[in-house]
Amino acid sequence: MLGKKLVTAQKRGETRALCLGLGMVACSMMMYFFIGITIVPFYTKSVWTTETVCKVLKANIKDKVFCPNSEGSEDEEIFPYPCLQVWVNLTASGQEVMLYQTEDTLERNPKCSYVPDKLENSKEVKARIETIASNFKKYQTFPCYYDPGGTQTNVILSRLYPAKGLLFAFLWPTLMFTGGCLIIVLVKISQYVSVLSAWQ
């Protein structure tokens, strides 16, 4: 009687472990799919792939401009802010080009190097942009990214999704997938050993 209870409990434990392993594998596949349709296209679409050194030539704050948003956005989402323009010397080619914060900055407003998020306090936005401008004047040499193909003559300060960030995004689903597969393999080995022991 006790032996039957132990066998039943073992089978229940194996079933739960197997379901856990299958669930982990399924969740990791969903995470792979989500990353594949969100992050990977932005990474592959970016042409600023080569890192070089940029030297600041001038950093000026122009008059206030309006932040142009994507089509279909409401008018109240458009807000004025000081336009920071940073021009740098690209050491790879020696050209004088304009610097943008990320790829998204160029799409949102190609006239400004930095586009702030919408903030209710305009003084805070102005203070932040002035701080960024002073930092560029203080640290005049820094790494930046340019397009080796020449389709984009400007440069960006940082990529939205660098290679390290992409690898980090794939790390967690990979660990989950590996753990799920390991659990399934261990359950199958346990079942095989149990059947072999019973047969002997």
Side-chain angles (χ1 to χ4, degrees):
M1 188 68 179
L2 182 60
K4 290 183 179 180
K5 289 183 178 180
L6 290 174
V7 171
T8 303
Q10 183 181 4
K11 288 183 178 179
R12 288 178 180 175
E14 290 176 350
T15 302
R16 291 174 182 174
L18 191 61
C19 291
L20 175 63
L22 292 174
M24 290 174 66
V25 171
C27 287
S28 63
M29 297 304 292
M30 291 176 62
M31 292 174 68
Y32 277 129
F33 177 75
F34 180 76
I35 294 172
I37 63 174
T38 55
I39 298 179
V40 173
F42 285 105
Y43 176 78
T44 55
K45 191 174 80 170
S46 177
V47 295
W48 295 272
T49 55
T50 305
E51 184 176 350
T52 185
V53 177
C54 289
K55 184 177 180 180
V56 176
L57 297 176
K58 53 186 176 179
N60 302 324
I61 298 178
K62 302 294 185 180
D63 295 333
K64 286 187 177 181
V65 297
F66 286 91
C67 177
N69 292 305
S70 57
E71 296 181 0
S73 61
E74 299 180 359
D75 292 338
E76 58 266 18
E77 293 183 358
I78 300 178
F79 62 98
Y81 61 92
C83 182
L84 172 64
Q85 293 183 345
V86 180
W87 293 88
V88 298
N89 184 13
L90 186 63
T91 56
S93 60
Q95 296 178 337
E96 180 181 340
V97 296
M98 189 169 178
L99 174 74
Y100 295 93
Q101 183 184 13
T102 61
E103 300 96 330
D104 184 59
T105 306
L106 178 62
E107 293 181 1
R108 293 177 64 186
N109 191 353
K111 295 181 180 180
C112 303
S113 298
Y114 173 76
V115 178
D117 296 328
K118 183 180 179 182
L119 298 174
E120 295 181 1
N121 191 350
S122 59
K123 292 183 179 179
E124 186 178 349
V125 174
K126 183 180 179 182
R128 179 182 298 180
I129 292 177
E130 289 177 351
T131 302
I132 294 173
S134 63
N135 287 336
F136 275 119
K137 293 176 182 178
K138 183 178 180 181
Y139 306 100
Q140 294 200 344
T141 304
F142 50 87
C144 59
Y145 294 89
Y146 75 100
D147 175 20
T151 56
Q152 291 286 346
T153 56
N154 41 59
V155 295
I156 61 174
L157 180 62
S158 59
R159 300 183 65 183
L160 280 174
Y161 301 103
K164 292 182 179 179
L166 191 66
L167 291 175
F168 184 77
F170 278 107
L171 175 63
W172 297 111
T174 301
L175 291 176
M176 185 178 292
F177 179 81
T178 304
C181 292
L182 185 61
I183 290 174
I184 294 173
V185 170
L186 291 175
V187 170
K188 291 299 181 181
I189 292 175
S190 177
Q191 290 176 347
Y192 174 76
V193 171
S194 298
V195 172
L196 188 61
S197 299
W199 181 77
Q200 289 179 350

